[in-house]
Structures are given as C-alpha cells and as structure tokens.
Amino acid sequence: MMSINRKIIEKHGLNEDEYKNIQKLLKRNPNLLELGIFSAMWNEHCSYKSSKIHLKKLPTKGKQVIQGPGENAGVIDIGDDDAIVFKIESHNHPSYIEPYQGAATGVGGILRDVFTMGARPIALLNSIHFGSPSHHKTKSLLNGVVSGIGGYGNCIGIPTVAGETKFNETYNENILVNAMAVGHAKKNKIFYSKAKGINKSVVYVGSKTGRDGIHGASMASAEFDENSEEKKPTVQVGDPFTEKLLLEACLELMRDDSIIAIQDMGAAGLTSSSVEMASKGSLGIELELDKVPCREENMTPYEMMLSESQERMLIILEDGKEDHARKIFKKWDLDFVVIGKTTNSKNITLKYNNKIEGEIPIEALSSKAPIYERKWTKKSFSKNQIDLKKFKKIKIEDSLIKILSSPNHSNKNWITNQYDQMVMCDTAQRSGSDAAIIRIHNKDKAIAVSVDSSANYCKSFPISGGKQIVCENWRNIISVGAKPLAITNCLNFGNPENSQIMGEFAECLQGISEACKFLDYPVVSGNVSFYNGTNKKNIYPTPVIGGVGLIQNLSNPINHLFKKENSIIILVGKTFGHLGQSCFIKENFSINEGNPPEVNLKNEKENGENVLSLIQKNLVLSAHDVSSGGLLVSLSEMSIASKLGVKIQKPKKLTNLNEYFFGEDQSRYLLEISEDHLTKVEKNLKKNNIFYELIGKTQKKYFEIEDEMKLDVNYLSKINNQWYYNY
C-alpha cells in the first residue's frame, strides 16, 4: 500500500490543514483510495468551499419555482402542469486542454443534469469566451470548441438555439466554455437525487468505466501553469450516440414508479453521485466495485471511483423493480448492474473482491467539508474620467464600421451554422435575435431563452456589472415578448485565494442578487468555476446569466427584424451618453476606461414591463434591446437582419453625437411601431410615465443619420459578415 506523504497530498489538491482535518474525521490516516475521494469531494468544483457563504445571498424562491439550487437542475412552473428544467455549467479547463472533447462533454454533462430530473431536453445554449484573435492558440481553440459543441448536440438530436461568442486577451491562457440545457417535464414527474430506504438496490447504468477523466474535478479546481498540456488524460471522452440511448432508457423507466433516486455521474464520477444521494437521504451506501462495468483491464478501486467517463447514471430502485429496469436498459443496449445497496451506516463503504477497501462517514464528505470565508477587498469607482473632447474628432460612420467589423460584433453565422437549430421541429426562433424561442410541443405557448455576460463591466465595478448582466438578460427575454421567470448562472472567476478576485466574486454576487430580487427573477440553478487563470494571471470576472421566460400565446412572435418601410422607430428609456467601458472606446482607442453605466433597477423594471405589455397587445412590429455598442449598433443589427434601412434624426440635447449614438446607457429598447398604432403606444407610455423618443423611420435600402451619414444596408451587412470568414 502506498504511503501518504506531503507530495501525494499536494498532488490531490489538499493542503496540510485539510489533511489534518481528514485524519480527525476518520480518527486515523486515510489510505490512497480514501484520500482520492476526499480530494474529489472537497475541491472547489464539488464542495463550493469558497463560494457557499456568498451563494446563500442569492434569491432562489418564487411562486414560479418548483426546485431551486441543490439538485441536478432548477425547475420552474409554466402552467398547465408543465415544468421547465434548466441549468448552466462550465467546462473551462478541459476545453482549453482538449477543445473538442472538453466542449463536447460539457454539452453531454449538462444534458444529463436535465434529463436526470425527468425532463426531455429541448434546447441547448452556450457562452464561449476566447483570447485575442491574434493569440497563437485562439483559432484552433475556437474551431475545436465550436466543433465539439456542434458535434455532440447535432448527434444527440437536440437543437443549439442561442449563445454568445466573445474575444478578449484576458482569456488567452484560459478560455471559458459554459453550456446550458433546457428541458420540458410534467410537474408530477420530476425526479430527485435523495436516497430513501434501507437495502435498496443501487444500480449502475450506461457506458462502461474507463480511465478518462480521472481527477477531472480536481483539475478544474486549480490554476493552469506551463505544464497544463500534461493534463490531457484528465479530460473526458464523450459519445453522443450512447447518451441518446441513455436519455431514452431513463425517460422510459421514469414513466412508472420504479425510481427512488437518480443521479448522473458527472464531476468526480461514481464518488460524487453515490455520496450526494446518500447525503441527501441521511443514509449510508455500500458499493461492490468489482461489479462496476469497466472497459479497460485491471482498473483499481481508486480509478473506478474517480473516473469521469461519460454517459453513466446511478439509480436507486424500489424493491422488485430490478428485472423490469434491466429489460429497459438491455433493450437500449446499455449496461445495467446492481453494484450496491443503501444502508443505515451513514458511511460510504467500498468493497473489492469481498474486502473493504475504504470506509468514510458520508457527513465527512458533505456537511463537514471545509467552508472558507476568504478575505476580500472592495472595488472603488474609477476616478479616471473619460476625455470626451478627443472623441468628437471620430466620425460616426468610421466608428460604426469599426465596431460592426470587429470580432465581438461581427455576424456569428460561421459558428451558428455548424449547429442544428431546427431538429425536433419546435424552434420557433433561433439564434440571432435577442432570445431564442422554443415551442412547447403540440401547444401554443413557448419559452424564450438567452445567455449573457459582460466581463469588462464586472472588472471595472463588480456590483454594477452584476446588476447589468441580469438586466440585459431580462431585456433580451422581454424583447421577444416573453415574461422573464428565472435564471441560472455560471460564475467564472480567478483564484479565490486572492483577496481582489474574491472581492470581485462577492460584489458581482451582490449585484446579481439585488437585480434578481428587484425584478423577481430568482436563481434556480448554477455553477461556480474558480481558478480560471494561468501562472497567477487571472481572467476578468465573467459571470454568465442564462434566462428563461414564458410566452403564453405564440400567435405573433416578435424579433429584431424591421418588418416594413415607413414604420416609426421609438427609443424607450433615457440616453445620457455613457461611454465608460464602451465598445466605442475599446474599438477606436484600444482602451478600457471609466466605470460601467449606472443601472437603475426601477427604470429597468418599469420600462421592461411596459414594453412587454405593448408587445402582448400586438402594438409592436419588432423590438431590440440596446446594449453593447449603444443605439446605433442596435439599430444596425435590426437593419442588417431585415435588409431594411432607417433614417434617424440627430438628438436635440447631446452635443457629442458619439455619446448619443454609442453610449451604453441601460434600460433601453428600440421598438418598431406602425403609424396607425403610434397614438395607442404613446398613450400607454405617457400614462405610465415611461420616457421615450421618436427617433426616426424605417426606409428602403439606406442606413442614414440626417446630415451626417448615409450607408447602403448591403454594405453594412458585408462588413458585418466578413471578419469570421476572413479569420
């Protein structure tokens, strides 16, 4: 038996104090198998030891919430006995090391989180962040990740309907790959992971166990260094065709009352799935590891317990249901093996060839895992003022062209065309608009889904940045005529042992929490990803928000495409011309200066609710939120998508046109209104004290600002499309 020394302890991601705590909890020294299990369950990815105290501040309840954080995915009520199950998770480190498989297994893992709850997955989304386009790794990482996302989603037959792709040098050595899945279930057929009963069969189903992904969760809880390439063996290998079989087999078994509890084998594999089920049920669990189906010879108990091989589930069955369940999984050509039982010991007991190889109290791995209240520092508002004088010299036309042709604002069709967005035939609106729309099968109602992030804002002032992301997601959902219901979040940050990084995390969470509470937009699921960085260089704080909204009647879907000539264009919300941290200064001067724009939650709520009301009354032809790039970029996106032009008036108040057209003030929407509906719209907005401006009209062919610029829409489309294809 291998002796445990300091080097082995460090290799397992544990510090000296944590090892002493393990000895205290066990009342003895752990063996290597037990040390590996503690390593898996006590790392950041599984235990949330640095984030737990801050996550408690998030609002997680609401009348629409069926299940909040703590299960495989969140569940919300959308009426008529229908429920939506959704979650977003990171697969950052694996995707940097091996981009195709890292991204692919990120998709596979989040799908299992959803169908484990009893939901049929109906949509996939993603938020992917890469380094500077000029960095030597970016192109290959981009190609690999996009291929991995598309490859897995397309093969399993679930549409990838929305997402975002961003570039920033902060991700040069640590890309972000966040995958979101959304599923539909009946409210009375939601499945949970809480074990119940003694001597119940613990069943292993799905693929065989291999040596891929061992220490994957621990690897995701540590910074990279110059030897990161050596970690390729810790990246899992996915098989979407097997996952499809597993999905169908699980959903078939879920039609009756066979299942007590079910948990996918994700991070930390068999270890986390068995411990979590037992912990939630305050039970023990005994596993016979020689019964685990293995695809490689001579696998050790250590390897079996820590493998993160994909497409596997752990199920606890009701008495007498074994043969019934076995027939289903054999029909789908999947392994089905009873590998253990529940016990009243409150321990996890691991046997191999009838010999106990490890025994650990469940609470030592769960409730007694370390929780750290790490030191953190507050971020102050930047005192550097933006010099507006130098911006006056920049021509509006030149700025617009520069932004529309930049990597972050270029048309993403090169990416989205690699994803099957229409499979299952319920995609009513795909990527490109503010939010995708998925019809609930055979019904008139639908859900809207969107993902958003804003790392520059969060880096500059985390509280405002956290609020802004929630609000932008809220606006995106509203812009397609949906009532926002709930969010999931993926919180991507650097090293939590750094007080500045921990401060960014704490204050972003504060901003997210304040916005969610005010907007009644609860957080029902999510993920924390720390240690995103290489050689002490951390990424910008990048929380990602995935939102879900409800459209009760899909008879008149709304998007951001202008519908006809001579429509009135209304700008809802005040424009102050905020250029701090804007795309305008980034693309024109290659600088990130100033503070992010102020977020007025009262304005956000009132403006959003009134815009939604106008859409629901069929008074709006098209809608688009104003966000990155400001008013002119948002207008351009509407024109390019529809091939219709606009003629915009100059503002009457702001003297600096760049402030007006490129300022990134929040709480704003662009609405296209028919002339015959204008009176009703204005009456509604005035009645509710909503600030608005009539800024122009749609027209044929030309994108125009009076006396300032006139561009052919086809030309705008050309420059907006060229970057990805040239890259």
Side-chain angles (χ1 to χ4, degrees):
M1 183 178 291
M2 183 182 293
S3 61
I4 308 296
N5 54 40
R6 181 176 292 180
K7 188 175 179 180
I8 290 173
I9 294 167
E10 288 177 356
K11 192 175 179 181
H12 282 77
L14 298 163
N15 59 42
E16 192 173 334
D17 287 340
E18 287 172 340
Y19 184 71
K20 287 179 180 176
N21 195 16
I22 291 169
Q23 291 174 309
K24 185 179 176 182
L25 288 165
L26 290 178
K27 299 177 182 176
R28 57 178 172 82
N29 293 332
N31 60 34
L32 186 64
L33 171 61
E34 293 166 333
L35 186 73
I37 289 170
F38 273 105
S39 169
M41 295 305 299
W42 282 18
N43 63 53
E44 290 285 355
H45 195 78
C46 294
S47 75
Y48 294 90
K49 58 188 177 186
S50 297
S51 58
K52 195 170 281 186
I53 60 169
H54 297 283
L55 294 172
K56 289 178 180 178
K57 300 172 185 176
L58 293 171
T60 60
K61 296 183 177 172
K63 59 183 181 181
Q64 68 273 45
V65 178
I66 296 173
Q67 174 65 52
E71 270 293 339
N72 288 289
V75 188
I76 57 174
D77 188 347
I78 61 167
D80 305 315
D81 293 323
D82 292 315
I84 294 297
V85 180
F86 65 106
K87 189 181 183 183
I88 189 170
E89 276 201 340
S90 63
H91 228 221
N92 303 335
H93 287 56
S95 299
Y96 182 76
I97 295 169
E98 213 302 300
Y100 184 95
Q101 289 296 347
T105 52
V107 173
I110 200 64
L111 284 171
R112 289 195 300 280
D113 281 339
V114 166
F115 73 76
T116 300
M117 300 290 294
R120 179 171 291 280
I122 57 175
L124 288 163
L125 302 86
N126 56 75
S127 174
I128 50 180
H129 293 68
F130 300 92
S132 167
S134 61
H135 190 268
H136 67 281
K137 283 190 175 182
T138 297
K139 187 181 288 188
S140 64
L141 288 168
L142 173 67
N143 284 323
V145 166
V146 170
S147 296
I149 291 170
Y152 206 100
N154 296 352
C155 289
I156 197 172
I158 296 164
T160 301
V161 297
E164 60 174 5
T165 303
K166 294 185 176 182
F167 299 87
N168 190 301
E169 55 272 16
T170 188
Y171 310 109
N172 279 349
E173 304 297 334
N174 196 124
I175 65 173
L176 303 182
V177 177
N178 294 179
M180 177 176 169
V182 183
H184 171 242
K186 291 296 179 181
K187 285 195 296 187
N188 64 346
K189 294 295 285 184
I190 304 296
F191 289 80
Y192 299 95
S193 57
K194 181 180 178 180
K196 296 176 185 176
I198 307 300
N199 288 321
K200 303 295 183 182
S201 294
V202 177
V203 182
Y204 174 119
V205 300
S207 289
K208 291 180 171 32
T209 296
R211 291 188 170 94
D212 54 318
I214 294 173
H215 290 302
S218 300
M219 178 267 292
S221 304
E223 282 187 332
F224 283 146
D225 55 29
E226 62 275 2
N227 299 315
S228 61
E229 291 293 321
E230 296 175 5
K231 297 179 180 179
K232 277 193 177 183
T234 63
V235 178
Q236 310 93 329
V237 178
D239 180 355
F241 300 106
T242 299
E243 178 120 332
K244 173 65 174 174
L245 301 177
L246 183 62
L247 162 70
E248 298 299 341
C250 287
L251 292 181
E252 183 175 341
L253 183 61
M254 289 169 170
R255 290 172 195 160
D256 57 38
D257 299 321
S258 299
I259 296 174
I260 296 173
I262 181 168
Q263 177 75 40
D264 86 294
M265 295 190 217
L270 188 52
T271 289
S272 63
S273 57
S274 55
V275 170
E276 287 172 13
M277 294 169 91
S279 172
K280 289 173 182 176
S282 298
L283 296 173
I285 193 164
E286 181 180 293
L287 301 179
E288 297 179 58
L289 298 181
D290 47 303
K291 293 182 179 179
V292 172
C294 295
R295 66 169 181 262
E296 298 182 51
E297 293 182 358
N298 302 318
M299 287 191 68
T300 65
Y302 181 97
E303 292 170 326
M304 293 177 200
M305 290 301 296
L306 297 181
S307 167
E308 293 184 9
S309 294
Q310 299 292 284
E311 295 87 37
R312 302 179 300 159
M313 292 280 188
L314 203 63
I315 301 175
I316 297 175
L317 290 174
E318 293 283 7
D319 292 338
K321 294 291 185 177
E322 292 86 356
D323 288 342
H324 167 66
R326 183 179 288 107
K327 285 177 184 176
I328 291 173
F329 282 89
K330 290 299 180 186
K331 181 182 81 173
W332 292 100
D333 198 25
L334 296 165
D335 279 302
F336 177 101
V337 184
V338 178
I339 64 166
K341 62 183 180 181
T342 57
T343 70
N344 59 4
S345 70
K346 296 190 177 182
N347 295 333
I348 180 170
T349 304
L350 304 172
K351 292 183 174 180
Y352 189 71
N353 292 333
N354 293 318
K355 180 184 174 185
I356 295 178
E357 296 287 340
E359 189 159 32
I360 305 171
I362 291 289
E363 64 176 10
L365 299 169
S366 52
S367 61
K368 291 191 176 180
I371 297 175
Y372 296 133
E373 191 166 355
R374 300 197 185 273
K375 292 181 181 178
W376 59 276
T377 54
K378 289 188 176 183
K379 187 74 175 266
S380 303
F381 249 59
S382 172
K383 294 179 181 178
N384 297 329
Q385 296 297 313
I386 302 292
D387 184 5
L388 297 175
K389 292 179 183 177
K390 63 182 177 181
F391 298 151
K392 287 185 178 181
K393 300 175 184 178
I394 306 294
K395 286 186 177 181
I396 290 176
E397 181 179 324
D398 293 342
S399 289
L400 179 62
I401 289 170
K402 205 159 192 175
I403 294 172
L404 289 179
S405 59
S406 69
N408 283 320
H409 286 85
S410 288
N411 188 301
K412 306 294 195 300
N413 282 347
W414 176 85
I415 292 174
T416 57
N417 286 345
Q418 296 185 52
Y419 306 150
D420 190 335
Q421 300 182 60
M422 303 305 293
V423 65
M424 300 179 78
C425 302
D426 284 319
T427 306
Q429 185 163 283
R430 53 188 182 176
S431 62
S433 199
D434 294 271
I437 298 174
I438 309 297
R439 187 189 301 274
I440 303 303
H441 196 63
N442 289 330
K443 296 189 178 183
D444 290 329
K445 67 181 178 183
I447 58 166
V449 290
S450 180
V451 291
D452 298 279
S453 64
S454 187
N456 275 1
Y457 286 1
C458 290
K459 181 66 177 175
S460 174
F461 196 65
I463 295 175
S464 292
K467 289 180 188 176
Q468 188 274 335
I469 310 163
V470 174
C471 291
E472 183 176 349
N473 187 269
W474 160 273
R475 291 196 301 273
N476 282 335
I477 298 294
I478 283 175
S479 295
V480 299
K483 177 179 170 57
L485 292 180
I487 68 167
T488 180
N489 58 32
C490 195
L491 307 172
N492 307 278
F493 288 79
N495 190 334
E497 298 164 50
N498 179 316
S499 63
Q500 181 183 326
I501 303 298
M502 202 63 217
E504 291 170 350
F505 180 82
E507 293 193 309
C508 275
L509 263 288
Q510 181 183 333
I512 291 169
S513 180
E514 287 178 18
C516 287
K517 285 177 183 175
F518 198 93
L519 299 173
D520 187 23
Y521 207 24
V523 182
V524 298
S525 60
N527 169 235
V528 178
S529 176
F530 278 133
Y531 295 98
N532 289 292
T534 299
N535 293 326
K536 311 296 181 185
K537 189 174 181 180
N538 295 286
I539 65 162
Y540 282 4
T542 314
V544 175
I545 300 296
V548 176
L550 176 65
I551 301 173
Q552 286 286 6
N553 190 331
L554 199 56
S555 59
N556 185 33
I558 292 290
N559 55 33
H560 72 306
L561 279 70
F562 289 133
K563 300 302 182 294
K564 63 181 186 179
E565 296 173 42
N566 295 313
S567 300
I568 309 295
I569 301 171
I570 291 181
L571 175 62
V572 175
K574 288 185 179 179
T575 299
F576 300 98
H578 189 98
L579 290 176
Q581 295 298 323
S582 66
C583 290
F584 174 80
I585 63 171
K586 170 73 173 175
E587 298 303 335
N588 283 295
F589 300 94
S590 299
I591 56 172
N592 297 315
E593 287 185 359
N595 295 302
E598 178 188 356
V599 178
N600 185 315
L601 293 174
K602 183 175 181 292
N603 287 349
E604 271 304 345
K605 189 171 187 178
E606 291 177 351
N607 290 359
E609 288 177 344
N610 277 274
V611 167
L612 180 58
S613 175
L614 292 173
I615 293 172
Q616 290 173 338
K617 291 174 182 175
N618 293 323
L619 297 175
V620 177
L621 292 172
S622 65
H624 193 23
D625 90 301
V626 180
S627 54
S628 180
L631 169 60
L632 206 60
V633 172
S634 295
L635 275 170
S636 300
E637 290 167 349
M638 297 176 84
S639 275
I640 291 167
S642 61
K643 306 299 183 187
L644 281 174
V646 295
K647 187 171 184 177
I648 305 300
Q649 305 157 6
K650 284 185 180 179
K652 295 179 176 63
K653 292 183 180 178
L654 287 175
T655 56
N656 187 332
L657 291 180
N658 287 311
E659 288 181 83
Y660 182 79
F661 286 118
F662 297 107
E664 296 183 6
D665 306 286
Q666 302 293 291
S667 314
R668 294 185 297 163
Y669 298 81
L670 284 163
L671 306 180
E672 179 193 6
I673 308 293
S674 293
E675 283 200 48
D676 55 352
H677 286 153
L678 181 60
T679 302
K680 284 184 181 178
V681 169
E682 288 195 282
K683 185 180 178 181
N684 271 270
L685 293 172
K686 286 174 181 175
K687 178 185 172 183
N688 293 298
N689 295 315
I690 303 300
F691 183 88
Y692 71 95
E693 297 175 80
L694 305 182
I695 64 170
K697 285 188 172 185
T698 58
Q699 64 179 13
K700 196 174 182 178
K701 191 174 182 181
Y702 291 106
F703 190 88
E704 183 177 359
I705 302 174
E706 59 176 1
D707 304 325
E708 190 67 32
M709 77 170 215
K710 187 174 183 179
L711 296 170
D712 192 303
V713 173
N714 289 327
Y715 172 70
L716 282 182
S717 180
K718 183 180 177 182
I719 65 162
N720 189 234
N721 278 286
Q722 64 187 12
W723 186 84
Y724 273 85
Y725 291 100
N726 291 340
Y727 186 62

